[in-house]
Amino acid sequence: MSDVLELVEARLRTSLGEPAARAAVTFLGTDRIEVLRFVDDQVVRYATLGMSAQPMADPTAVVADPLKGPRAELVLSVKAGRADTDKVLRPLAVLAASPQVEGVVVAPGASLDVGEPLWPGAPFTSVLVGEPGGLVEDLELDAPMDPVRFLPLLPMTPNEAAWKRVHGAQALQERWLANGTDLRDPARRSVPLDVTPE
C-alpha cells in the first residue's frame, strides 16, 4: 500500500507545501507512522502519514476487508512559538496507530484521548475529530477503495472533553464558535461551559 501513501503525501504537499520536518514512529505489531511538520504564516501543522495505508476495520467484523473501509490521516494546526508543540509527534502517532492497535474507526465527532498532555505543559490531553474537507481535500482512490479523508484534530481540555461526552460534539463546537475560541492557540483556556437556562 506504499502507493496509497505516496498519493497521500503528494496531496499533503499540494495543500500544505513542503514539510519542514518529519519523524517516524513504529509501534510493536503496527505499520510505521510518520508525522510531517508544515510551517505556514505563524501556524504549524502536523499531519500523519501511514494511518491510511490500511482501511479502518469495524471492530465487530470477523475478517477485515483489505480494500474496503474508511481511510484517514490526522491533521493538527497550532500557532507557532507559543509552546513546545513539536513534542506532539509521538501522541499524534499513537492516535494514528489506534485503528491498527485497538480496532477503532476514527470518524468526525469522535474523542481521542492520549492520557497525558499533548505536549509539555499543554492544557489538553484529548482531541475532538473535526469534519474533513476544509484544509486538505479528500483523496479519491481507485475503486473499491474508499477515499482518504484528512481529519482535523481540535484539542480539548479535560473539562471540555467531559462536557462533550454529555452534550455531544456539535454542542461543544457551537460553544467554541459562540465564544470566538481560537482552537489553534496551544495555551488557550477552557471555553465557559456553564449551561444557561432556556
Side-chain angles (χ1 to χ4, degrees):
M1 287 297 154
S2 60
D3 52 337
V4 169
L5 296 185
E6 287 170 14
L7 293 170
V8 167
E9 182 167 351
R11 174 57 55 91
L12 287 170
R13 287 172 183 266
T14 301
S15 302
L16 304 177
E18 286 299 307
R22 62 196 304 151
V25 182
T26 305
F27 303 101
L28 190 64
T30 68
D31 295 329
R32 184 168 104 145
I33 301 286
E34 287 191 274
V35 180
L36 309 185
R37 180 178 180 268
F38 301 86
V39 182
D40 172 38
D41 294 335
Q42 309 304 311
V43 175
V44 182
R45 304 189 197 281
Y46 302 93
T48 63
L49 179 64
M51 181 177 171
S52 62
Q54 306 293 334
M56 291 181 276
D58 182 339
T60 62
V62 179
V63 179
D65 190 308
L67 293 176
K68 292 182 182 176
R71 294 174 190 257
E73 296 289 355
L74 308 175
V75 181
L76 173 70
S77 302
V78 291
K79 288 188 173 174
R82 299 195 180 182
D84 186 10
T85 55
D86 279 355
K87 296 290 197 305
V88 78
L89 298 178
R90 186 169 177 80
L92 270 183
V94 168
L95 295 179
S98 62
Q100 288 184 62
V101 176
E102 300 169 30
V104 297
V105 175
V106 177
S111 300
L112 303 175
D113 197 317
V114 295
E116 60 184 23
L118 292 175
W119 53 82
F124 321 105
T125 59
S126 62
V127 292
L128 174 65
V129 181
E131 291 290 338
L135 191 61
V136 184
E137 287 185 22
D138 292 356
L139 172 65
E140 296 293 333
L141 299 175
D142 293 337
M145 294 188 285
D146 288 25
V148 177
R149 304 168 87 199
F150 298 87
L151 303 173
L153 300 182
L154 312 173
M156 293 188 291
T157 66
N159 284 348
E160 289 170 340
W163 199 84
K164 181 254 176 189
R165 279 193 294 275
V166 175
H167 299 280
Q170 186 174 348
L172 177 58
Q173 290 177 299
E174 287 170 359
R175 187 59 59 104
W176 282 336
L177 195 61
N179 284 271
T181 305
D182 183 356
L183 297 173
R184 297 180 305 184
D185 182 351
R188 73 172 180 85
R189 297 175 181 269
S190 182
V191 71
L193 295 170
D194 50 312
V195 179
T196 52
E198 293 293 322

